[in-house]
Amino acid sequence: MHKFFTNKFQNLLKKRAASKNNDARTIEDYLKTLKDYKKIFFDELSAEGNNVITSDCVECCDIFERDMYQDILDKKLEWIENCFDEIFSMLTIYNKNELETKNKLEEYLDTRCTGWSVSGAVELAKPMFRARRIGTYKRHIHELYHVPFSRRALLSDERFSSKEKPMLYLAETIEGTLHETHLKFEEANYALFVPKYSNFYKSTSYNINNSMQASLNAIFGEALQGCKIEYDNNRFTFSKRNISKLLAEFILYQILLFPVYDECRNDKIKYPQYILPQLIMEIVTKKNMSRIIYHSANEISNRGYDQFKNQHDNNLCLNIPEAEEYNDQYLNNFFTAVWFQGDSIKTVDEARELQKECVEIARPHHQKFIMSDYTLYLTEIKLHMEYMEEAVKNYEVSPEGKVEVTLFYDFMEQIKPILKEPEKYNVLKWEDMKY
């Protein structure tokens, strides 16, 4: 059952559905694919053995999963079917009444889902990457920022942005940027964007995440430590009383992230897979959430799979406020660095040593200055390298790994003067926060 609710397994189901209609360039074709996905979804959900989890989990996991599986099969199948059909109806009426589609989508979020899923600045303030095909452009962060507003006519449809609306798309890894841009490593130049924690502190992101997978990961992770969590509980959001809304959210989010397969790609058309995601961006922007965190719709296949850990496959889409050319004011919300093909590289060991050095430089200033932003960045870099070294074979010598750690190194060199002399760089003091 846990396997069924993973993105990895659902991506396999979506691929099977798409293979039956591999020319899904119209809403009608896309609906055929989604209906095939729905049928495969039900077939796999009801398949014998789907309620068996990995043998290394303790008895508590087996009981939790058995109770959840039986509850879903006995009481939630009609609800699941209605969720699918309601989403299908949004797409069916889109060509005749786009506003009604958006209203139906917003109503679904308000009435069927667990609520408006938001993430704060802590989840946002981590290293993110961007790639751009190599060309004759200048070595400047603008060239790996958003498409200039003066050239918006060159834009094509993206998942959360329609033509003529520049947005900034970032990924958690270099590998992720290549999956999203369909480029080979040697075909691109790269940039690092680190969102400044304090600049985003009072704002939120809409999070299109797989809460079923994340919650089961957490529950089974705790069970492995000896905790006993019952499916029918009053303590956690993930419980029998909330399973209907969790399922509704899961189905919507899987459809929002339905891949566009290579055989369907044509920059001149509007991908039907992007209709609902673009409307979601309009809805959340109206609610003062101008960015979306979401799992990649493209499977990153060469990583070691650990069902209890984040797979570092998140992307970020930021709705850039209108500007004449580039929005430099918005760009100031990030630390940035660039790496172009042919540039020198640093090793993982060099990046690790600089990270430790930066931590030690900052340590004496913590009592007087609010250094938490920088501690957060340095911690995220440390965790990122640790995860990637465990998950990706030969990460430290792979081209993607080399560029990631080189960009980390560049960023840490940028902040080192701030860590040494926080007062010179107007870092707030703790006494400034006293009332």
Side-chain angles (χ1 to χ4, degrees):
M1 197 64 170
H2 172 264
K3 174 186 174 183
F4 177 84
F5 286 113
T6 62
N7 288 326
K8 185 175 183 179
F9 189 77
Q10 290 302 315
N11 283 343
L12 291 174
L13 303 190
K14 286 185 265 190
K15 192 169 185 177
R16 281 168 54 189
S19 67
K20 299 182 180 182
N21 305 286
N22 42 345
D23 192 30
R25 299 183 181 183
T26 67
I27 292 177
E28 292 73 22
D29 288 333
Y30 181 45
L31 279 167
K32 289 178 185 177
T33 298
L34 288 180
K35 287 173 183 176
D36 284 332
Y37 171 53
K38 172 187 169 184
K39 181 181 184 306
I40 295 169
F41 184 100
F42 275 98
D43 289 345
E44 291 292 340
L45 179 62
S46 303
E48 183 179 359
N50 268 350
N51 58 333
V52 178
I53 62 173
T54 51
S55 59
D56 60 348
C57 287
V58 293
E59 183 182 1
C60 170
C61 297
D62 294 315
I63 295 171
F64 185 99
E65 194 160 56
R66 180 203 65 203
D67 292 347
M68 180 179 74
Y69 182 75
Q70 208 58 51
D71 181 46
I72 291 173
L73 287 187
D74 290 347
K75 299 178 182 178
K76 304 304 178 187
L77 295 185
E78 184 178 356
W79 169 264
I80 294 172
E81 181 156 7
N82 288 339
C83 289
F84 272 108
D85 291 345
E86 192 170 330
I87 295 168
F88 296 166
S89 73
M90 299 175 199
L91 291 164
T92 302
I93 64 171
Y94 177 79
N95 282 334
K96 293 181 180 178
N97 195 334
E98 180 180 336
L99 179 60
E100 181 61 20
T101 298
K102 185 160 72 170
N103 289 340
K104 279 179 169 284
L105 179 55
E106 190 165 4
E107 182 182 5
Y108 184 102
L109 290 163
D110 284 333
T111 60
R112 285 192 178 269
C113 297
T114 55
W116 291 93
S117 180
V118 299
S119 295
V122 169
E123 190 164 345
L124 183 69
K126 63 177 67 174
M128 302 293 287
F129 300 91
R130 183 165 171 81
R132 182 184 175 187
R133 186 181 292 277
I134 57 175
T136 57
Y137 50 85
K138 297 177 182 178
R139 185 189 179 85
H140 194 286
I141 190 59
H142 278 169
E143 300 295 347
L144 286 102
Y145 187 30
H146 64 76
V147 173
F149 283 89
S150 63
R151 305 188 69 188
R152 67 176 88 203
L154 300 176
L155 288 165
S156 58
D157 256 9
E158 300 289 348
R159 187 166 296 273
F160 294 100
S161 53
S162 57
K163 292 180 180 180
E164 301 189 7
K165 181 62 182 83
M167 292 191 186
L168 180 63
Y169 286 85
L170 304 172
E172 278 192 288
T173 62
I174 294 291
E175 186 184 16
T177 69
L178 296 175
H179 277 76
E180 297 301 329
T181 56
H182 302 274
L183 294 172
K184 296 178 181 177
F185 171 82
E186 63 273 12
E187 295 175 334
N189 297 319
Y190 304 93
L192 172 72
F193 286 78
V194 181
K196 295 178 181 177
Y197 175 74
S198 292
N199 292 42
F200 290 101
Y201 179 72
K202 293 183 179 179
S203 61
T204 55
S205 310
Y206 186 65
N207 197 330
I208 298 177
N209 61 13
N210 185 342
S211 56
M212 294 287 286
Q213 177 179 328
S215 297
L216 289 171
N217 284 352
I219 288 167
F220 297 157
E222 289 190 24
L224 288 171
Q225 304 303 314
C227 300
K228 291 188 176 181
I229 303 172
E230 296 178 345
Y231 170 62
D232 189 5
N233 70 79
N234 294 314
R235 293 176 292 159
F236 302 103
T237 300
F238 196 98
S239 61
K240 182 177 181 178
R241 73 187 190 282
N242 290 326
I243 194 66
S244 293
K245 291 189 174 184
L246 291 163
L247 288 166
E249 194 172 78
F250 177 81
I251 293 162
L252 174 62
Y253 287 3
Q254 290 299 327
I255 292 176
L256 287 174
L257 300 179
F258 209 99
V260 174
Y261 294 98
D262 288 342
E263 58 267 27
C264 304
R265 291 194 171 274
N266 181 342
D267 287 342
K268 295 181 180 179
I269 69 168
K270 183 177 180 68
Y271 300 126
Q273 295 92 329
Y274 292 175
I275 289 170
L276 296 181
Q278 289 174 7
L279 292 177
I280 278 277
M281 177 58 89
E282 290 182 28
I283 291 168
V284 301
T285 299
K286 185 180 71 175
K287 294 181 177 291
N288 296 318
M289 291 179 280
S290 59
R291 57 187 180 272
I292 289 176
I293 297 172
Y294 63 102
H295 288 297
S296 174
N298 300 298
E299 182 184 354
I300 300 175
S301 58
N302 68 337
R303 300 217 192 133
Y305 182 70
D306 185 335
Q307 64 178 334
F308 300 120
K309 288 185 178 178
N310 172 17
Q311 294 299 298
H312 280 62
D313 62 352
N314 278 336
N315 293 329
L316 178 64
C317 177
L318 301 115
N319 194 341
I320 306 295
E322 193 85 11
E324 189 172 326
E325 183 77 0
Y326 293 100
N327 194 321
D328 285 312
Q329 183 177 356
Y330 194 80
L331 183 58
N332 287 333
N333 291 314
F334 303 88
F335 290 103
T336 62
V338 297
W339 187 92
F340 277 43
Q341 292 291 339
D343 285 357
S344 62
I345 56 95
K346 296 292 182 181
T347 66
V348 169
D349 287 341
E350 287 175 307
R352 187 180 289 113
E353 286 303 310
L354 182 55
Q355 190 271 346
K356 291 178 182 176
E357 180 186 349
C358 286
V359 169
E360 290 305 313
I361 290 171
R363 194 182 302 280
H365 302 297
H366 279 285
Q367 288 189 337
K368 187 174 182 180
F369 295 91
I370 303 175
M371 306 293 289
S372 51
D373 288 32
Y374 302 96
T375 301
L376 178 60
Y377 310 146
L378 293 168
T379 300
E380 287 290 349
I381 287 173
K382 180 175 183 289
L383 293 175
H384 181 106
M385 290 192 295
E386 286 177 354
Y387 169 80
M388 295 300 286
E389 285 183 288
E390 290 177 4
V392 181
K393 186 177 180 180
N394 298 323
Y395 166 75
E396 65 278 3
V397 295
S398 69
E400 296 88 350
K402 288 178 180 179
V403 173
E404 285 185 7
V405 298
T406 300
L407 288 167
F408 290 156
Y409 194 96
D410 190 335
F411 162 68
M412 289 187 287
E413 285 286 5
Q414 288 181 48
I415 66 171
K416 191 157 68 166
I418 304 173
L419 304 178
K420 286 181 176 178
E421 299 181 273
E423 188 160 22
K424 178 179 176 181
Y425 290 90
N426 299 316
V427 175
L428 283 174
K429 299 177 182 177
W430 286 107
E431 65 184 33
D432 297 330
M433 303 299 292
K434 294 179 180 178
Y435 295 98

